[in-house]
Amino acid sequence: PSLTLSGALSFSAGEPSALLDNLLTSIGASLAGVLFDGGAQRAEVLRNKAMLEEMVANYGQQWLQAILEVENALALEREHREAMDIQRLQLETAQKALREAQARYIEGLTDYIPVLVSMSSVHASQQALLTSDRQLLSHRVQLCRALGGHWAATLQRPAALEDSP
C-alpha cells in the first residue's frame, strides 16, 4: 500500500482558517480512500500468493512428469538391451547350427534340408536383431525428447541424397 498526501491551496476563501479547513478536507478524503478500501488490497495480496503457489505446484508436477518420462525411457532401453543380448546369443547358436549342418552335408551324412532350415533360422535371427536395433534407436529418440532435446533441427541430409529430388 502507498500513502499519498496531496492538497491544493486556493485563495478564494475569505478567511485563513477556511483555507486550512479546505486543505485538511482534501487530505482526509485521500487518506480515507487508501485506509478504508474494504480489504481489496489484502484480498489482492492473498490472490497473488495463491497464484504463486499454484504456479509452483504446476512446475513441480511438470518436473516430476519429466523425471518419470526419463526414467521410463531409460528402463525401456535397459530392458531392450538385455533382450538384444539374448537375440545375439540366439544368432550365434543359429550360425553354429548352420556351420554344423553344412559340415554334415559336405561329409555326405545328411541331405541339404538341414542346411536350408539352419539358413532360415540364421536369417530370422538376423532380421530380429535388426528390428531390435531399430527399436533401440526409437527408444533413444524417446529419451532425447524426454530430456528436452531438439535434435530434429540439427539433422542434415546425407551427401548421397543431395542431388535427388
Side-chain angles (χ1 to χ4, degrees):
S2 63
L3 174 63
T4 24
L5 296 177
S6 63
L9 293 176
S10 169
F11 294 107
S12 64
E15 298 178 16
S17 65
L19 182 64
L20 187 60
D21 288 340
N22 287 339
L23 178 66
L24 290 176
T25 304
S26 174
I27 291 174
S30 178
L31 282 174
V34 172
L35 294 177
F36 304 110
D37 63 354
Q41 289 182 354
R42 178 173 165 78
E44 184 65 22
V45 168
L46 292 175
R47 184 179 80 76
N48 287 339
K49 283 183 180 179
M51 288 175 56
L52 178 64
E53 289 174 3
E54 178 186 10
M55 289 178 6
V56 167
N58 286 339
Y59 179 77
Q61 185 64 33
Q62 289 175 354
W63 178 255
L64 290 175
Q65 182 65 32
I67 289 173
L68 179 66
E69 288 176 9
V70 169
E71 287 292 324
N72 286 342
L74 288 172
L76 277 174
E77 184 172 338
R78 183 177 49 251
E79 290 172 6
H80 199 76
R81 284 188 175 279
E82 291 171 1
M84 286 180 68
D85 289 341
I86 293 170
Q87 287 177 335
R88 283 188 190 94
L89 289 174
Q90 288 174 342
L91 177 61
E92 289 174 13
T93 304
Q95 288 170 338
K96 286 178 186 176
L98 176 61
R99 285 191 297 272
E100 181 66 30
Q102 287 172 335
R104 292 178 64 84
Y105 173 74
I106 290 172
E107 292 176 10
L109 299 174
T110 62
D111 55 1
Y112 201 66
I113 293 177
V115 175
L116 292 175
V117 170
S118 295
M119 283 180 152
S120 175
S121 178
V122 167
H123 290 172
S125 294
Q126 287 172 336
Q127 186 174 7
L129 194 57
L130 287 174
T131 301
S132 290
D133 281 340
R134 184 191 55 78
Q135 288 175 345
L136 181 62
L137 291 175
S138 176
H139 293 313
R140 290 268 174 96
V141 169
Q142 183 180 353
L143 177 61
C144 183
R145 286 182 180 162
L147 290 171
H150 300 288
W151 55 272
T154 60
L155 289 179
Q156 294 181 1
R157 190 176 182 133
L161 300 176
E162 288 292 324
D163 297 330
S164 64

